[in-house]
Amino acid sequence: MPRSVFMEEIDAFTYREAIADGAPVIIPVGSIEQHGPHLPLNTDVILSKAMSARLAESLRGLVAAPIVYGYKSQQRSGGGNYLGGTTSLDGTTLISIAKTLTLEFARHGARRLVFLNGHFENYQFLYEGVEQATAELAMRGHDVSAVLLSYWDFVDEDTIERIYKGTFPGWDVEHGGVLETSLMLHLHPELVRLDRVMDLPAAQLPRYDVLPVRAELTPASGCLSSAAAASREAGELLLERTSAALAAEVGAELGASLTAATGR
């Protein structure tokens, strides 16, 4: 195995050898998006890359250079694209990136891909791009499959209860809140400014979107729930349990798809 799981840190010969040996390629997908006054703009990139590294170590895979920019932040899940610092792609661009990368890694000889998403709004555009690429590859007779996932879907109920103790506000408003802040405290405490957390009530948003966005619906912090209860210990628990769940389920899926393709 290469000395690093990160594609950009290894040479081309070592990369090609790993791909030839069947290493799955994991593509972290994030965003440059405001996460309040206490977290960096690249929080989604950092967290998707960290989860990808853990998964690669478990699956003897490689982590591709991340997709740094994401789809437009939406008010009900990210505060809104109007907020300064948030720098976004339109849907057709993200679809094209996902399709192009799938085709490129297939050209390298990769047969199993994982797009590991860390920004809520990305998902359907990633799906469209990867679906187009895998359909095109199948028409050419190439056996390439891809798994798409968002890491928070692998946080189990017991972990949620241990961390939130009955106060979980729901994933729809967990932007810049306890989960992301705790993970960042564990992984990169030097990038977190707990003294700048704005302990405001969770956003009260309608069950529909309004355009143009009504800025007064987003809390002044830009976050949709408070990070005041975040801790390094919670971040460590989240990383360990989520990584284990990812490795178990994605590993089983990749193993099953490989068996189906090879008959072994």
Side-chain angles (χ1 to χ4, degrees):
M1 284 294 293
R3 67 181 185 278
S4 171
V5 298
F6 295 110
M7 175 183 176
E8 70 261 38
E9 294 180 0
I10 61 177
D11 64 85
F13 281 65
T14 302
Y15 169 76
R16 292 195 291 263
E17 289 169 4
I19 293 297
D21 286 341
V25 177
I26 302 158
I27 305 99
V29 192
S31 69
I32 300 299
E33 179 187 37
Q34 69 81 30
H35 283 74
H38 66 287
L39 291 176
L41 289 163
N42 68 339
T43 291
D44 292 343
V45 180
I46 290 172
L47 297 182
S48 62
K49 193 171 181 180
M51 292 288 180
S52 295
R54 286 296 191 94
L55 184 59
E57 289 164 358
S58 297
L59 303 182
R60 297 177 63 81
L62 291 172
V63 179
I67 301 175
V68 172
Y69 293 99
Y71 182 67
K72 299 166 188 173
S73 176
Q74 296 177 20
Q75 190 169 40
R76 292 194 295 141
S77 50
N81 206 54
Y82 70 95
L83 292 165
T86 298
T87 311
S88 306
L89 303 175
D90 60 32
T92 54
T93 302
L94 187 53
I95 289 169
S96 180
I97 290 171
K99 179 178 180 179
T100 299
L101 288 180
T102 302
L103 294 174
E104 279 293 279
F105 289 121
R107 180 178 64 81
H108 299 166
R111 298 174 62 192
R112 303 294 174 261
L113 307 177
V114 179
F115 283 80
L116 197 153
N117 180 41
H119 175 65
F120 183 86
E121 291 88 342
N122 287 338
Y123 195 87
Q124 294 304 326
F125 300 99
L126 295 173
Y127 188 102
E128 178 65 16
V130 176
E131 193 279 333
Q132 288 183 19
T134 52
E136 183 177 320
L137 288 164
M139 290 286 289
R140 296 185 207 163
H142 296 296
D143 168 44
V144 177
S145 65
V147 173
L148 288 82
L149 62 94
S150 297
Y151 72 81
W152 52 84
D153 287 332
F154 293 80
V155 181
D156 62 83
E157 293 296 326
D158 180 63
T159 302
I160 290 172
E161 181 56 32
R162 283 189 59 178
I163 291 170
Y164 293 90
K165 299 179 173 59
T167 64
F168 181 56
W171 292 128
D172 52 339
V173 293
E174 238 300 344
H175 174 72
V178 169
L179 177 135
E180 290 180 312
T181 305
S182 294
L183 283 167
M184 287 295 289
L185 281 170
H186 174 53
L187 291 165
H188 291 283
E190 74 281 2
L191 299 179
V192 183
R193 290 285 305 276
L194 280 181
D195 60 309
R196 291 171 60 87
V197 169
M198 298 172 70
D199 190 13
L200 302 175
Q204 298 296 313
L205 297 165
R207 290 176 290 181
Y208 49 83
D209 294 299
V210 178
L211 295 172
V213 167
R214 290 164 51 196
E216 70 273 12
L217 294 179
T218 299
S221 63
C223 302
L224 300 185
S225 59
S226 175
S231 68
R232 185 197 62 77
E233 293 77 16
E236 183 176 10
L237 179 68
L238 279 163
L239 184 64
E240 293 301 324
R241 290 194 169 189
T242 306
S243 297
L246 278 167
E249 293 195 40
V250 176
E253 175 59 35
L254 294 185
S257 64
L258 188 61
T259 299
T262 63
R264 292 182 295 172

